[in-house]
Amino acid sequence: MSGPVSAADPGRPDPGSPDPGSPGPGSPTGAPDTTRAPDSGEPAGPSPRSGAARPHRAGRGESLRLAVTHTLPAFARGVSAPRPAVGSLLGAVGQPRWSAATLRSLRDRYGGAPVLLGGASGDTLVLLDPADVEDFFARPVRELALDAVDKTKIFSVLEPTGVICAHGDLREARRALNDRVLGHHEETHPSCETFRTVIAEECVRLTTGPTLPYARLERAAQRISRRIVLGDQAAGDEELARWLLTLRQEGNWGAVRRGPTPANRRLYQAATDRLHVYAPHAPGTTLLGQAMETACDPDVDAVGQAHHWLLALDAIGLIVARTLLLLAAHPAEQTALYNAPHAPDTGRLRACVLETLRLYPLVNDLLRILRADTTWRGVPYKAGTHVLVPIGFLQRDSTLVPGGSLFAPGRWQAEGAEHDTRMAPFGHGGGRCPGDRLGLMVATEICAQLLRAHHLTGGSPRLDPHRSLPGALNASAIRLTLARS
């Protein structure tokens, strides 16, 4: 990757951050590591009797360490609805550092080779090498499916007919509808100008005072979300917003329950009934209106897809708050936005949003499941094995991404940056988020509206632009200070 145009130099190591280590002998350019995990009893490498390659299987102690330092905290933070208090506590005690140390240890011990770990939901293959991650993104979704067991349990509470909870032909049909409605294959969404007008109208009230707390920004983002998905008719539907939030909070418990509770099902049905009330009157420029105009089988459940669109767009407030806080902490980057004929420079601002998502992704772990027996690096794995890419860790790793823990938005203006599989704010390949361009446009436009006549003079919590940024950033605690330009 060519060097970014940024206030931070991504070519130097992160000051104050530990060396994540270098690729070992099991990397794609070296021989496989045939060491034995100390507490597993299973050798790695070729089997002496059959000659077939065998997986690197971590011991029980290593599996437990990953669960305690990485997996369980991820669930505790909230998968479908963030738990701000838990996130703040985990950040305060240094959990992101524990997680990174565990993953670094696994990579160093097994030379970067895929590692199989046991868990409550079965075996999980953890990928820690860039070549394996690139392979992960390249494999077809029918083979490496998105409906992993725990993920499906969570999302079956809040969007049981969504793309995530389906596979095979049904998943492809639902994905095709989402691709069309969200403009996945378009440079700009067909309703882009209408959406910009909505954003401009909703952002007016955000700059009425010198401070902007997260709660006010979140409410505006949710109104924008409802207007984009359902139309102006739903702009003030706070009851629907409460129902959806409750479902998302209940979804956080999905992985430890056998399925949605009766109360969850009733609430989901009430929210879905409300969507059906809006559907006949949704303008053709809205996402729901476009879905209603698209011919599809009843099993696709066009109206039901709106649950995920609202979930995704409601998260824009998190992205915007973090982006603006990072800009407040990096004055040189904020100044660069105004060195354009039509300030702020939306191309550079878009890069700032992407950099925020690299540092603070909405999804830290990419989890899939093998739907057929397959091989990885010549090693066979059975159908039903989960495959995990800890992308939040990898795209901050300075041995893979120069200046990984620094805010360097210029890196995204390098040619081909958005196709670089070392960084994956929206994923890559067949599992890439279909709303990537739409979500990026909405987040960028909200930031642009706020910065057209104002500039950021401060923000809390305070960030040091010359040191590694914290591994977690609780958006609900963000408070920004604005001044008229």
Side-chain angles (χ1 to χ4, degrees):
M1 182 186 297
S2 58
V5 181
S6 171
D9 176 11
R12 61 181 171 86
D14 297 358
S17 45
D19 181 3
S22 57
S27 67
T29 57
D33 179 1
T34 58
T35 59
R36 184 189 300 258
D39 55 354
S40 69
E42 289 195 33
S47 165
R49 278 187 280 183
S50 67
R54 296 181 62 182
H56 295 268
R57 179 177 285 278
R60 286 185 294 274
E62 290 171 312
S63 296
L64 179 62
R65 181 184 176 188
L66 183 70
V68 170
T69 63
H70 182 84
T71 310
L72 292 177
F75 280 111
R77 269 198 183 88
V79 175
S80 51
R83 296 182 176 115
V86 175
S88 294
L89 177 61
L90 290 172
V93 299
Q95 181 272 328
R97 292 194 301 275
W98 308 342
S99 169
T102 298
L103 294 166
R104 198 174 293 122
S105 174
L106 282 173
R107 183 175 60 190
D108 291 348
R109 174 157 190 77
Y110 297 98
V115 185
L116 202 59
L117 292 96
S121 299
D123 284 345
T124 298
L125 185 66
V126 181
L127 307 180
L128 296 164
D129 186 277
D132 293 317
V133 173
E134 186 173 2
D135 189 8
F136 172 91
F137 287 126
R139 296 203 179 202
V141 172
R142 279 184 177 265
E143 173 192 326
L144 193 56
L146 277 76
D147 56 327
V149 174
D150 287 341
K151 190 191 301 184
T152 302
K153 286 181 179 179
I154 290 168
F155 284 93
S156 65
V157 176
L158 52 142
E159 47 178 87
T161 64
V163 175
I164 292 173
C165 295
H167 63 269
D169 291 343
L170 180 58
R171 188 237 173 229
E172 290 185 6
R174 288 177 179 167
R175 174 64 195 238
L177 173 68
N178 277 263
D179 283 354
R180 182 190 179 283
V181 170
L182 299 173
H184 181 55
H185 300 297
E186 307 290 335
E187 284 298 321
T188 57
H189 195 279
S191 301
C192 184
E193 290 309 313
T194 301
F195 296 161
R196 285 197 172 105
T197 299
V198 167
I199 293 166
E201 291 172 355
E202 294 295 337
C203 285
V204 169
R205 68 193 72 189
L206 295 180
T207 54
T208 54
T211 60
L212 177 57
Y214 175 72
R216 195 193 313 161
L217 177 59
E218 181 184 43
R219 284 194 298 273
Q222 290 175 350
R223 282 179 59 88
I224 291 169
S225 171
R226 291 194 294 274
R227 291 179 67 183
I228 287 176
V229 177
L230 307 174
D232 294 351
Q233 59 183 337
D237 195 342
E238 297 294 336
E239 183 177 48
L240 176 62
R242 288 192 297 273
W243 290 348
L244 295 177
L245 177 59
T246 300
L247 283 169
R248 295 165 193 171
Q249 291 170 337
E250 287 293 302
N252 283 338
W253 297 100
V256 295
R257 290 175 176 166
R258 294 186 178 180
T261 66
N264 293 159
R265 292 192 180 94
R266 288 193 297 271
L267 190 56
Y268 172 79
Q269 190 58 53
T272 302
D273 289 345
R274 183 67 58 86
L275 296 179
H276 277 278
V277 170
Y278 288 134
H281 312 291
T285 53
T286 64
L287 302 188
L288 186 56
Q290 292 174 52
M292 297 302 292
E293 294 172 359
T294 304
C296 57
D297 292 335
D299 286 349
V300 172
D301 188 13
V303 174
Q305 305 311 301
H307 282 281
H308 190 75
W309 303 334
L310 289 165
L311 171 70
L313 285 170
D314 282 354
I316 294 293
L318 297 169
I319 301 168
V320 171
R322 289 170 178 153
T323 301
L324 294 175
L325 183 67
L326 287 165
L327 283 169
H330 295 80
E333 289 293 350
Q334 186 178 178
T335 300
L337 295 174
Y338 296 97
N339 295 332
H342 302 288
D345 182 342
T346 53
R348 194 173 186 91
L349 194 49
R350 183 178 186 273
C352 291
V353 174
L354 282 166
E355 182 70 346
T356 299
L357 284 167
R358 182 190 68 82
L359 289 163
Y360 301 104
L362 296 178
V363 179
N364 274 288
D365 293 322
L366 304 179
L367 182 64
R368 299 194 188 171
I369 188 169
L370 291 175
R371 286 294 172 195
D373 292 351
T374 190
T375 59
W376 218 292
R377 292 202 196 186
V379 178
Y381 296 97
K382 292 184 178 297
T385 301
H386 287 86
V387 182
L388 171 70
V389 172
I391 196 67
F393 162 72
L394 294 172
Q395 60 192 13
R396 264 184 174 250
D397 183 353
S398 290
T399 66
L400 304 178
V401 179
S405 290
L406 301 174
F407 182 64
R411 75 176 84 238
W412 291 99
Q413 296 185 303
E415 185 177 355
E418 292 188 41
H419 301 288
D420 187 338
T421 54
R422 295 175 300 171
M423 305 182 294
F426 296 101
H428 294 282
R432 186 180 178 93
C433 171
D436 52 353
R437 290 176 176 167
L438 176 59
L440 193 52
M441 183 278 289
V442 173
T444 301
E445 189 62 24
I446 294 175
C447 290
Q449 286 293 334
L450 294 173
L451 296 177
R452 281 207 170 94
H454 296 78
H455 63 276
L456 296 157
T457 58
S460 62
R462 292 182 64 85
L463 302 175
D464 185 343
H466 305 297
R467 297 184 62 83
S468 296
L469 291 163
L473 190 55
N474 178 12
S476 66
I478 290 175
R479 189 177 183 88
L480 302 162
T481 306
L482 298 164
R484 186 168 289 277
S485 298

